[in-house]
């Protein structure tokens, strides 16, 4: 039987290494014990007609499994989680909570973090002009992290006292703050992130994303 195929970049600049969203899909597949193949693409291939048929916005990742093709990392992780109790409890209440927190990670916590990263990637003169808006965005991110910390309290995971796809997505969202001190200065959130990242499935997924970057680094990178 053929293995599912996940698209990933052959190489990205260091600021994005370890953050590209195929990591979520690789991690979910590792947790579920599903072997997969890679469809490695170059930064220019993503706008090819062939790739745009798979991913209309030309982004990574895509997921191909037999006749089926998907895009959107959250949808793909949910699809995998629906087939594996390693990612979602069997009980309907646990399933509902897992899905709720998966969407919370992507729809409530990630958007201000994405905005912050976009601002921080702008050239210096744009950043200079955007200082006030950046402060407002940081405040929004901080607010989300505060509420996340309050919800977690003494819990080790978001749902049902166990690791689920909700923790998987939330961890990848928190990782995107690695160039700031926003997570590092919140001990309970930092401990939560590190706990999830210590999972062997995460370590395998991260190593798998990083391997092509080392092999395909341009001469001056
Ligand atoms: N919502 C999409 C976002 C995908 C996304 O932003 N992918 C990035 C890499 S992490 C990308 O391909 N960026 C290039 C671009 O947007 O042109 C998902 O979760 O799959």
């Amino acid at each position: 039987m053929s293995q599912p195929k996940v698209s990933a970049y052959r190489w990205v600049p260091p600021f994005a290494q370890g953050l590209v969203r195929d990591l979520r899909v690789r991690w979910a597949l590792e947790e579920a014990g599903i072997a997969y193949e890679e469809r490695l693409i170059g930064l220019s291939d993503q706008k090819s007609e062939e790739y745009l048929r798979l991913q209309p916005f030309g982004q990574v990742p895509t997921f191909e499994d037999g006749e089926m093709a998907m895009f959107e990392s959250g949808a793909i992780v949910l699809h995998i989680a629906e087939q594996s109790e390693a990612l979602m409890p069997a009980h309907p209440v646990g399933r509902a909570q897992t899905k709720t927190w998966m969407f919370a990670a992507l729809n409530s916590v990630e958007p201000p973090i994405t905005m912050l990263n976009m601002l921080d990637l702008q050239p210096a003169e744009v950043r200079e002009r955007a200082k006030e808006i950046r402060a407002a965005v940081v405040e929004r991110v901080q607010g989300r992290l505060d509420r996340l910390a309050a919800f977690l309290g003494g819990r080790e995971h978001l749902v049902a006292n166990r690791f689920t796809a909700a923790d998987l997505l939330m961890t990848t969202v928190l990782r995107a703050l690695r160039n700031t001190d926003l997570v590092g200065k919140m001990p309970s959130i930092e401990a939560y992130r590190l706990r999830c990242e210590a999972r062997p499935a995460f370590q395998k997924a991260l190593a798998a994303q990083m391997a092509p970057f080392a092999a395909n680094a341009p001469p001056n990178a």
Side-chain angles (χ1 to χ4, degrees):
M1 226 175 80
S2 69
Q3 296 180 343
K5 199 180 280 186
V6 180
S7 72
Y9 288 122
R10 213 167 274 129
W11 183 81
V12 293
F15 79 83
Q17 295 185 5
L19 297 180
V20 189
R21 288 172 173 82
D22 58 283
L23 183 66
R24 296 170 173 170
V25 179
R26 293 176 188 269
W27 187 3
L29 289 166
E30 292 292 349
E31 294 283 356
I34 300 171
Y36 65 95
E37 293 170 18
E38 296 169 326
R39 172 195 272 271
L40 290 181
I41 64 166
L43 288 167
S44 53
D45 303 331
Q46 67 190 43
K47 302 294 181 230
S48 71
E49 282 303 315
E50 189 203 352
Y51 193 72
L52 287 171
R53 271 195 292 276
L54 275 177
Q55 216 295 3
F57 307 107
Q59 296 178 313
V60 160
T62 59
F63 180 76
E64 298 159 83
D65 195 5
E67 299 283 286
M68 195 199 62
M70 295 182 75
F71 61 96
E72 284 298 333
S73 59
I76 301 166
V77 170
L78 178 56
H79 172 77
I80 298 164
E82 283 184 319
Q83 300 162 43
S84 171
E85 266 190 56
L87 287 163
M88 189 147 66
H91 192 276
V93 174
R95 294 178 85 76
Q97 288 171 343
T98 302
K99 291 176 196 171
T100 297
W101 275 102
M102 290 175 74
F103 277 82
L106 299 184
N107 208 27
S108 294
V109 183
E110 186 168 47
I113 294 176
T114 304
M115 216 181 293
L116 184 59
N117 283 335
M118 269 193 73
L119 287 172
D120 286 348
L121 282 170
Q122 299 306 308
E125 66 274 15
V126 177
R127 276 186 278 127
E128 187 56 37
R129 290 200 304 274
K131 275 185 171 160
E132 281 182 23
I133 180 83
R134 187 183 189 278
V137 172
V138 167
E139 200 177 316
R140 176 59 62 96
V141 172
Q142 187 65 66
R144 294 292 189 261
L145 296 181
D146 288 343
R147 293 314 309 155
L148 178 61
F151 178 83
L152 277 171
R155 287 185 179 91
E156 296 218 329
H157 297 104
L158 288 168
V159 173
N161 287 322
R162 49 156 290 190
F163 178 84
T164 66
D167 301 302
L168 184 157
L169 290 180
M170 190 64 83
T171 301
T172 59
V173 166
L174 295 173
R175 281 173 63 75
L177 285 169
R178 71 182 179 186
N179 290 330
T180 75
D181 64 354
L182 288 165
V183 169
K185 72 182 185 190
M186 298 185 71
S188 70
I189 307 258
E190 178 69 342
Y192 166 74
R193 178 184 72 82
L194 292 171
R195 185 179 311 126
C196 294
E197 288 185 2
R199 298 176 67 80
F202 173 82
Q203 294 298 327
K204 275 182 85 173
L206 180 62
Q209 174 174 105
M210 297 298 287
F213 302 157
N216 298 300
N220 298 322

